[in-house]
Amino acid sequence: MGRRELVELILLAALWGASFLFMRVAAPEFGPLVLVLVRVGLATLCLLPLVCWRGEVRALLTHWRPLAVVGLLNSALPFSLFAWAALSLSAGFTAVLNATTPLWGAVVAWLWLATQLPRGKVLGLALGFLGVVVLVWGKISFKPGGDGWAVLAAMLAPVAYGIAANYTKQKLAMASPLVVATGSQLAATLMLLPLAVPLWPAHPISLNAWLAAIALAVVCTAWAYLLFFRLIAQVGPGKAIAVTFLIPLFAIVWGGVFLGETLTPAMVAGGGIILLGIALALGLWSPRWLASAKTD
């Protein structure tokens, strides 16, 4: 990975880390579903001109069915779950749970596509899910005023991402990344319109909330998608997925600087175990004893 690609990787992590900050700011005023509608709707308006300019509108129509599925599983559903969780959970906490996406992707690939799980990946999955337990321990309370449902929503969102990643690989391998990004955002917009419009807030929405929503849509969705797909084309998906390690760091920093959120011991311990598990599951790190065991 060259210097330029490394800079783009760090920039992407900063953008996606900031998305959790923007959700914390905007969700209370917009409401989760309305905020997500604004997010995917504005992102669609940013991406559609690029599709038209590249002459790929026909591809949107050709692949509309799988694009609709990806729009649901990769945008409408997880964005809504995270936006709802942002009403009560810190940006750093939700970002750490978001980092489990590669783990769920591996589990889905094993269950659905019968992908082989070598010893290192199994160990990585076990460590990753142990990290989730450490992270959420003490936060799962379904009593009035508890955060249990919000934690559950933030845990389910990465599952949707994992299913979407494998579905995209199976059904949209022939479509360009721009078509997948644009079509999924357009599909998510159409799905959310009848649900979110009736919920539009009657009270005026503050300028800060609008700025956060616009940044979430234009910077953290439309631009970030293009940056991510550019990295995949240049360095491959295996290296591009390394952004997963950096997103929680930026989310914690942004939350601490702008919202005064604190870093808890559970976030440090759980997040560290999760990231270690991801490294093992993706084959980005393999201890010597594990490598020697493979040759036995």
Side-chain angles (χ1 to χ4, degrees), residues 158-240:
V159 179
Y161 284 141
I163 298 173
N166 286 279
Y167 182 86
T168 302
K169 182 178 179 180
Q170 285 290 102
K171 303 295 184 179
L172 290 167
M174 301 302 294
S176 73
L178 178 60
V179 167
V180 176
T182 306
S184 61
Q185 297 307 295
L186 176 59
T189 301
L190 296 176
M191 292 175 191
L192 288 168
L193 269 173
L195 299 175
V197 169
L199 299 176
W200 194 274
H203 60 269
I205 298 171
S206 70
L207 178 61
N208 282 343
W210 269 112
L211 291 176
I214 292 171
L216 182 63
V218 177
V219 178
C220 301
T221 307
W223 186 25
Y225 263 123
L226 294 177
L227 201 58
F228 182 58
F229 291 131
R230 173 187 170 90
L231 276 171
I232 289 177
Q234 291 180 338
V235 303
K239 292 182 178 178

Side-chain angles (χ1 to χ4, degrees), residues 11-110:
L11 175 60
L12 178 62
L15 297 180
W16 275 342
S19 68
F20 296 94
L21 166 69
F22 294 138
M23 281 189 285
R24 284 281 286 166
V25 172
E29 293 195 40
F30 280 93
L33 284 181
V34 174
L35 175 61
V36 176
L37 174 62
V38 172
R39 177 179 185 176
V40 297
L42 290 180
T44 301
L45 293 178
C46 292
L47 293 169
L48 267 179
L50 295 176
V51 172
C52 296
W53 178 64
R54 292 184 55 175
E56 296 188 277
V57 175
R58 184 183 295 272
L60 289 177
L61 301 176
T62 301
H63 300 289
W64 73 267
R65 286 186 179 86
L67 286 173
V69 175
V70 174
L72 172 65
L73 295 176
N74 203 59
S75 294
L77 179 59
F79 287 179
S80 298
L81 290 170
F82 273 131
W84 187 69
L87 295 175
S88 55
L89 301 178
S90 71
F93 186 91
T94 50
V96 173
L97 284 177
N98 178 71
T100 63
T101 296
L103 302 178
W104 289 111
V107 170
V108 173
W110 173 58

